[in-house]
Amino acid sequence: MAADARRHEAARARWLVSGPPLLYLLVFFAAPTLIMVLASFRSPGEFGGLAPLRDDTGALDLNVDAYVRFFTETVYAQVFVKSLVFALVTTLVCLALAYPLAALIARSPKKSRDILLLLVILPFWSNFLIRIYAWMILLGPNAALARAVNGVLGWFGAGPVPLLFSSFAVLVCLVYVHLPFMVLPLYANLEKHDPALLDAAQDLGASAWQRFWRITFPLSLPGVYAGAALVFIPALGIFAIPDLLGGPDDTLIGNLIKQQFLETRDWPFGSVLSIVLTVSALALVGLAAWLGRGATRGAERVGA
Amino acid sequence: MRSRSPLLVAVALAVYAFLYLPLAIVVVYSFNDSRLNAEWVGFTLDWYRKLFADDDMLAAARNSLVIGLVASLVATVLGTMAGIALHRYRLRLLPLLVFAPIAIPEILMGVSLLIFFVLLNFTLGLVSVAIAHIAFCIGFVAIVVRARMAGMDEALVEAARDCGATPWQAFRHVTLPLIMPGVIAGALMAFTLSIDDFVITFFTAGAGTVTLPLQIYSMIKIAVTPEVNAVSTLLMLLTLLLIVVASRLSPSLLRSQEEAPT
């Protein structure tokens, strides 16, 4: 009896603890997401939003018009490809910058690691818009950077180029904003490496270059993939950076989504764009994770 | 300790400079006696004076504070429950719902909540923003609390129960005090995330409600003014303070893994 009562109590405790957050997220996360998926199959309303679910004849008005529009009009494919390219370039540049930093932190004495890591994270905690604004100042036409660049260009007889409101500005800021996401998982991985492996390789005559490409890099691939996922997903959906730093041609998929919901008010099409964005981001990251597992197994063989 | 080549150090220093130079410039120019964020003219506190006389900015700050307090409070309660549940029970749905908002693009959550609120005829404003913030903060609190739970000895709870404590008493007097640093760290993190959030707020605030990030956005959309530098500097100070306190309470916020045995 006592055991029975206790088991009953345990089941109740389980519901008491997990029930409220579960309920909250079902109502305010799962339901809105499902409603948006449904909205992507509905017709746009005459004055924005959604048309009634049942048309004049009482039939359900569900269609794939918005999907057809996305996949047939090339202008959307262009924006989507541009977003993918920007996110990919951002991920690669972040990787190139984060790797030496993560490696240095992992090789530092234990005591200074925490502070070095904190220094990477801190800028990430300053407001997102402030970090964009900082680049508006740095790349602005009056700033030292623009004057220096244009001064150099002037010597070669090239006309002044604006740094702000360009793809360059968008990419620089994308890298700046996402860099910490790459450093953290890379560091977590590099820190675990056994230095004996590198010593052994060196004793066997491997050069620094060989030691990096044959040992350190393959072993770090899980960290590389984790960092790439953390950078790629948010970078793909960004709209504030192209909005504030980009030129007229720098419309990305995030800007299109914002436009559909706040200006054109075409919700079905906006929903389609959001779904395509999310599905492709998760699919690409899933693919990377899958590749990563293979790489990890390979790396373990190298390590063993 | 392994070798640190001078080249590696140089590159790392350059990356640190890349991270900090832009923010340093924002701070420095907030004290600059010139409308243009171009070169140093002289020291002034005028931009801060202007800031504290700007009614729109003050209203936005007030909104941000109210939303941040409410959202972090509720998210801390729900997130702590979620963190405990994730540690103790094998659940299917809860982990998915807790981590998905962190894993998907923010903009998706913003627009889906916009559709949700408008279809329900729910007036967009402080309440809708707070509801949205709670939804994305729960996961972050849950992660911190779960990490703390993992470091806790569950035998202590068993012992309390064997000594006749009710489940609530065991939670109140054993579990909660032990995970408290994690809970507080989670709360500070949730508050910071809420104060800083732009994307989700942008879609769920409606036309009449402005928070600090929304106010900054509309200001810098029009022009660069040192008043933004001033508010940015204050906001950075606040965040810095909160994060330093949070990381003191829960070192796991900083370390991406437990200390490796040496």
Side-chain angles (χ1 to χ4, degrees), chain A residues 119-120 122-124 126 130-139 143-146 172 176 179, chain B residues 12-30 37 229 233 236:
Chain A
L119 284 174
V120 175
L122 272 184
F124 160 71
S126 65
I130 297 178
R131 284 176 287 158
I132 302 177
Y133 176 67
W135 285 99
M136 294 178 84
I137 298 176
L138 268 172
L139 300 176
L145 191 63
V172 169
Y176 182 68
L179 188 57
Chain B
L13 279 178
V15 176
Y16 275 121
F18 173 66
L19 283 173
Y20 281 93
L21 198 67
L23 295 177
I25 283 180
V26 171
V27 174
V28 168
Y29 281 158
S30 78
N37 277 299
N229 297 53
T233 305
M236 274 192 262

Side-chain angles (χ1 to χ4, degrees), chain A residues 79-202:
Chain A
V79 171
F80 189 63
V81 169
K82 185 155 194 176
S83 307
L84 283 176
V85 171
F86 272 48
L88 201 66
V89 172
T90 303
T91 308
L92 291 176
V93 177
C94 279
L95 181 63
L97 292 178
Y99 213 108
L101 191 59
L104 182 87
I105 298 175
R107 289 176 192 187
S108 298
K110 266 211 155 57
K111 268 187 226 153
S112 48
R113 281 184 207 170
D114 279 353
I115 187 78
L116 287 172
L117 210 54
L118 180 67
L119 284 174
V120 175
I121 303 170
L122 272 184
F124 160 71
W125 281 107
S126 65
N127 189 291
F128 172 63
L129 288 168
I130 297 178
R131 284 176 287 158
I132 302 177
Y133 176 67
W135 285 99
M136 294 178 84
I137 298 176
L138 268 172
L139 300 176
N142 300 317
L145 191 63
R147 278 186 296 190
V149 167
N150 285 320
V152 173
L153 283 178
W155 293 337
F156 295 101
V161 291
L163 295 181
L164 196 58
F165 308 126
S166 67
S167 300
F168 169 76
V170 174
L171 277 171
V172 169
C173 196
L174 276 171
V175 168
Y176 182 68
V177 164
H178 296 105
L179 188 57
F181 292 126
M182 185 64 92
V183 178
L184 295 183
L186 266 181
Y187 163 76
N189 173 286
L190 289 171
E191 195 223 29
K192 285 185 292 194
H193 289 197
D194 185 354
L197 282 174
L198 294 177
D199 294 341
Q202 191 165 17

Side-chain angles (χ1 to χ4, degrees), chain B residues 63-108:
Chain B
N63 285 342
S64 278
L65 206 62
V66 171
I67 294 168
L69 286 173
V70 172
S72 58
L73 195 71
V74 180
T76 303
V77 174
L78 292 174
T80 302
M81 294 170 116
I84 294 172
L86 290 178
H87 176 72
R88 281 201 180 145
Y89 312 118
R90 298 175 69 96
L91 303 159
R92 279 157 182 268
L93 196 55
L94 189 66
L96 183 73
L97 288 177
V98 165
F99 297 122
I102 302 175
I104 61 169
E106 264 186 300
I107 195 169
L108 181 96

Side-chain angles (χ1 to χ4, degrees), chain A residues 197-214:
Chain A
L197 282 174
L198 294 177
D199 294 341
Q202 191 165 17
D203 291 345
L204 294 170
S207 67
W209 188 248
Q210 283 173 321
R211 290 200 298 273
F212 177 75
W213 283 112
R214 308 276 304 261

Side-chain angles (χ1 to χ4, degrees), chain A residues 227-272:
Chain A
L230 288 177
V231 172
F232 186 81
I233 295 183
L236 191 61
I238 214 103
F239 75 87
I241 293 176
D243 224 29
L244 292 165
L245 298 176
D249 294 335
D250 291 314
T251 302
L252 300 185
I253 187 158
N255 304 87
L256 272 188
I257 294 174
K258 177 197 152 202
Q259 233 173 51
Q260 297 304 319
F261 280 98
L262 299 179
E263 288 148 41
T264 337
R265 302 222 335 116
D266 183 342
W267 284 10
F269 191 56
S271 300
V272 167

